[in-house]
Amino acid sequence: MVVTVDFTAAETAGERLFDMWNVANRISPKNGANVRAGMKVNTVRMLGGIVHKDKNRKQSKRPNFKFDICTYDQRRQRYVYHFDRLVDRINRIGKGGTQIHQIVLDQPPWCFHRDYKFIPEGKRDGINFRENERVSHYGNSLPPSDKEAWADFIKALMRHLIEVYGKKTVQNWRFRVGSEIETPDHWFGTEKDFIEHFANTVTAIRSVMPDAIVGLHTRPPDFVYVKDKSGNYKGEQIKSFANGIIEYCHDNKIRYDFWGISDYPNIKIAEQRDPKTKYATLFEPLINHPKWLPGTVIDLEEFSVITSMDPLSSSDSVQADTFKVALTDHFYTHGVSQIFQWGNRTDSEPAWPTKVFQGMIGKTRFDAKIKGRKSSAAKHVGAIVAKGASNESIDALLYYYNPADLEANDFQEVNLTLTTEFPVGTRIAFRKVLITGEHHQFSSFMQHRSSSSWLKKGGSKYGNANDSLNDAGKAAWASYRSSSLPSWTKTKFIKTRPTADGRPGSVIVIDTQLPLFSFEKIEMMQLK
């Protein structure tokens, strides 16, 4: 297998690499974002409309009015704003040194469904919401009953944010309307209800700040909700709102600046774990719509590789890690902006699938050509190669990922050949770090001969220790430390060789070996 990059050919230079993994999701943070240093935050449910949590932090079905930044004064018959509550939460985030990337304008505070009449669960009259829709798993998932009052609230909110933080700061924040809106617990209204709500919210925001960055978060265009076939409160099938939103916004000249989709690929399902299909299935139907707004930023606003959705169990495996590296390559190629993640708390360490990109951010990516004797294997080897502006620093990230069979055992000999402008004989220092199943803590743990007895019912060897292991497994995991965790090799030195065709410049040649489901970072530096 030969991976070649020609740094001397101008047409091979692409865009500068950016950090695709630096946004963390946080729900209603009260005491700072509590995310790892250097990450930005997307704050969810900051306006109120949330539910109480019991002593074990489990969701209840009771509204938590204390979190709302808007209430209704019944005696005076008016809405009352409590923006100080929001400002306090934002200030605590900033005090911790975390930048706000985005504020999600949901759930609506509880006062905005005060005019609704609720009918018994199981009934439907096509007009009123059902009693079981009064409070969702997430809180208030109903459209505001008083649309004019909602617009006034949003205008006042934007004016207050500008007054406190300044127009420049607020203009750098993104504002999202809705979260996975075709999911009933996130939105009990109809498609028409949401389109009207989105248009009302965007119009209100831009009446105060015309250049505000506003977008939304839907399910993929082909999404159909299958858990409950009875439909919404009007009896309509619950499916993606995407096409309806695109068409309405185009016809009514409503601008959206970004569009988010969620993806929770199950590593155990072949069609979900192929990174090369993701852009085509998640975003292409949006962008190919004849009324799509060109220039709209696209990103994954919720993402996790999982082994189960119910209950949710993430995949802590070398297969999942290599999938993430391959997905990053795929998304760089197709212009996806960000991948938002849950977790990433202050006490966590960056995972290797994101750590290997450190040092590459800001460098220019160059096209890599991959050739091999076995064409089927060649298409599963990928490379992200980038060079700094000074020409001295070069990074190569190689990976081998085949979604066909998680248990397959294979490796590829890889020859990395880089054509440079350096004179022949230029000294190059380089080091490498390889991440394989052997170097992965949980994957190597599950290779133990007793591992099958450590899994609880429904647990997976591709899952994670907390969700997949029984008591015996957790006890074994507590004392387990892999003897082969990833580590950088000692620095080695080579000299560049003459080009094969006698052209000016020289080539850097490094040979390596990639096992299936692995990735390797190579850092090179010209010595003067």
Side-chain angles (χ1 to χ4, degrees):
M1 187 76 59
V2 180
V3 177
T4 62
V5 177
D6 188 349
F7 293 127
T8 67
E11 65 273 14
T12 65
E15 296 182 350
R16 289 187 178 183
L17 295 180
F18 55 90
D19 192 349
M20 192 178 293
W21 297 87
N22 73 337
V23 178
N25 285 322
R26 286 286 282 113
I27 298 175
S28 308
K30 297 179 182 179
N31 299 304
N34 190 25
V35 298
R36 200 166 52 244
M39 297 199 75
K40 299 179 181 180
V41 68
N42 172 43
T43 61
V44 184
R45 296 174 225 156
M46 288 287 277
L47 308 186
I50 65 172
V51 296
H52 273 288
K53 293 181 179 178
D54 62 22
K55 293 181 180 179
N56 297 319
R57 297 192 59 76
K58 290 186 178 180
Q59 303 284 79
S60 71
K61 281 284 188 174
R62 294 187 297 116
N64 180 353
F65 298 108
K66 293 181 180 179
F67 206 77
D68 284 3
I69 65 171
C70 181
T71 58
Y72 190 77
D73 187 329
Q74 191 67 41
R75 184 174 64 86
R76 296 183 181 182
Q77 296 287 292
R78 68 177 188 179
Y79 290 89
V80 181
Y81 304 143
H82 308 281
F83 295 141
D84 56 307
R85 299 175 183 177
L86 176 62
V87 167
D88 179 64
R89 293 194 283 271
I90 291 175
N91 288 346
R92 288 172 184 264
I93 292 172
K95 186 177 180 180
T98 302
Q99 293 184 35
I100 290 177
H101 180 71
Q102 181 169 280
I103 295 176
V104 181
L105 302 177
D106 68 357
Q107 310 299 108
W110 290 105
C111 61
F112 285 106
H113 74 22
R114 55 178 293 274
D115 295 326
Y116 285 130
K117 172 188 173 183
F118 294 92
I119 62 176
E121 180 178 353
K123 301 290 185 180
R124 179 186 290 121
D125 61 8
I127 300 173
N128 298 297
F129 291 102
R130 283 76 62 91
E131 188 61 43
N132 59 300
E133 295 166 330
R134 185 191 293 267
V135 181
S136 80
H137 171 76
Y138 301 105
N140 179 18
S141 298
L142 300 176
S145 58
D146 189 332
K147 296 178 176 59
E148 184 177 349
W150 172 260
D152 289 341
F153 162 69
I154 292 295
K155 292 174 188 177
L157 170 63
M158 295 302 297
R159 285 193 292 265
H160 191 81
L161 291 175
I162 292 170
E163 179 184 343
V164 174
Y165 299 104
K167 184 176 181 181
K168 184 177 180 181
T169 295
V170 179
Q171 210 156 17
N172 285 328
W173 294 343
R174 304 195 329 177
F175 295 91
R176 190 180 87 197
V177 183
S179 299
E180 290 186 336
I181 50 174
E182 300 89 343
T183 308
D185 271 327
H186 278 301
W187 182 259
F188 283 127
T190 64
E191 177 180 324
K192 181 175 181 293
D193 291 335
F194 180 78
I195 291 174
E196 291 176 353
H197 174 65
F198 178 71
N200 188 31
T201 307
V202 174
T203 302
I205 292 172
R206 293 213 168 106
S207 70
V208 177
M209 180 178 280
D211 294 329
I213 305 171
V214 189
L216 65 160
H217 179 195
T218 71
R219 291 297 194 106
D222 64 349
F223 172 77
V224 177
Y225 189 73
V226 297
K227 288 185 178 179
D228 183 359
K229 296 182 180 180
S230 64
N232 59 34
Y233 76 101
K234 287 186 177 290
E236 300 168 346
Q237 183 185 35
I238 301 170
K239 56 184 180 58
S240 175
F241 300 167
N243 290 331
I245 297 168
I246 292 171
E247 291 163 10
Y248 182 91
C249 289
H250 176 274
D251 295 346
N252 292 275
K253 295 181 172 54
I254 295 174
R255 187 180 87 242
Y256 45 87
D257 300 297
F258 62 90
W259 196 299
I261 300 287
S262 293
D263 190 31
Y264 289 87
N266 190 320
I267 197 69
K268 298 189 296 182
I269 302 176
E271 57 267 27
Q272 293 187 22
R273 64 175 181 248
D274 187 350
K276 293 182 179 179
T277 66
K278 293 300 178 180
Y279 177 78
T281 56
L282 298 174
F283 298 108
E284 215 165 50
L286 294 172
I287 293 169
N288 287 344
H289 193 290
K291 294 187 176 182
W292 173 255
L293 182 60
T296 301
V297 172
I298 52 174
D299 44 33
L300 280 184
E301 303 226 345
E302 290 185 25
F303 173 82
S304 181
V305 185
I306 64 171
T307 58
S308 169
M309 181 57 83
D310 189 15
L312 182 65
S313 176
S314 62
S315 177
D316 180 17
S317 65
V318 72
Q319 290 87 350
D321 281 359
T322 313
F323 170 87
K324 292 175 186 177
V325 173
L327 183 69
T328 308
D329 184 11
H330 178 67
F331 279 170
Y332 272 144
T333 303
H334 289 91
V336 177
S337 173
Q338 290 287 325
I339 302 176
F340 296 12
Q341 303 172 89
W342 298 104
N344 292 281
R345 299 302 180 93
T346 52
D347 58 351
S348 66
E349 287 290 326
W352 275 104
T354 54
K355 191 186 295 187
V356 289
F357 288 100
Q358 295 175 358
M360 301 180 78
I361 306 305
K363 294 182 180 178
T364 300
R365 182 179 184 178
F366 285 76
D367 290 339
K369 296 182 180 179
I370 302 173
K371 298 179 180 180
R373 295 177 182 175
K374 298 179 181 180
S375 58
S376 60
K379 68 181 181 180
H380 299 303
V381 172
I384 302 175
V385 181
K387 181 164 67 71
S390 65
N391 291 328
E392 297 177 353
S393 175
I394 299 171
D395 291 339
L397 178 57
L398 310 174
Y399 63 88
Y400 185 17
Y401 178 83
N402 185 347
D405 181 3
L406 296 183
E407 291 298 308
N409 189 9
D410 187 23
F411 67 89
Q412 290 295 321
E413 302 284 353
V414 179
N415 171 269
L416 177 66
T417 301
L418 310 175
T419 303
T420 75
E421 296 176 348
F422 303 151
V424 174
T426 298
R427 294 185 71 222
I428 303 294
F430 74 94
R431 65 173 188 166
K432 304 190 293 183
V433 60
L434 176 69
I435 292 86
T436 69
E438 178 186 1
H439 304 119
H440 189 281
Q441 188 87 341
F442 190 70
S443 290
S444 62
F445 175 75
M446 292 309 299
Q447 293 301 314
H448 193 278
R449 61 180 180 273
S450 300
S451 61
S452 60
S453 66
W454 292 339
L455 291 173
K456 68 181 183 181
K457 185 177 181 180
S460 171
K461 64 182 291 186
Y462 305 112
N464 65 80
N466 186 60
D467 296 331
S468 294
L469 300 179
N470 56 29
D471 290 343
K474 289 180 179 179
W477 172 254
S479 60
Y480 178 76
R481 292 294 180 271
S482 173
S483 59
S484 302
L485 292 178
S487 60
W488 289 95
T489 63
K490 292 183 178 179
T491 301
K492 297 181 180 180
F493 303 92
I494 56 174
K495 292 183 178 181
T496 61
R497 305 176 186 178
T499 59
D501 54 8
R503 288 186 300 159
S506 63
V507 294
I508 300 171
V509 179
I510 297 176
D511 292 316
T512 192
Q513 186 181 89
L514 289 180
L516 184 55
F517 304 117
S518 72
F519 49 100
E520 183 174 61
K521 173 77 174 297
I522 306 174
E523 295 181 347
M524 294 157 270
M525 179 68 71
Q526 175 194 17
L527 299 178
K528 295 183 178 180

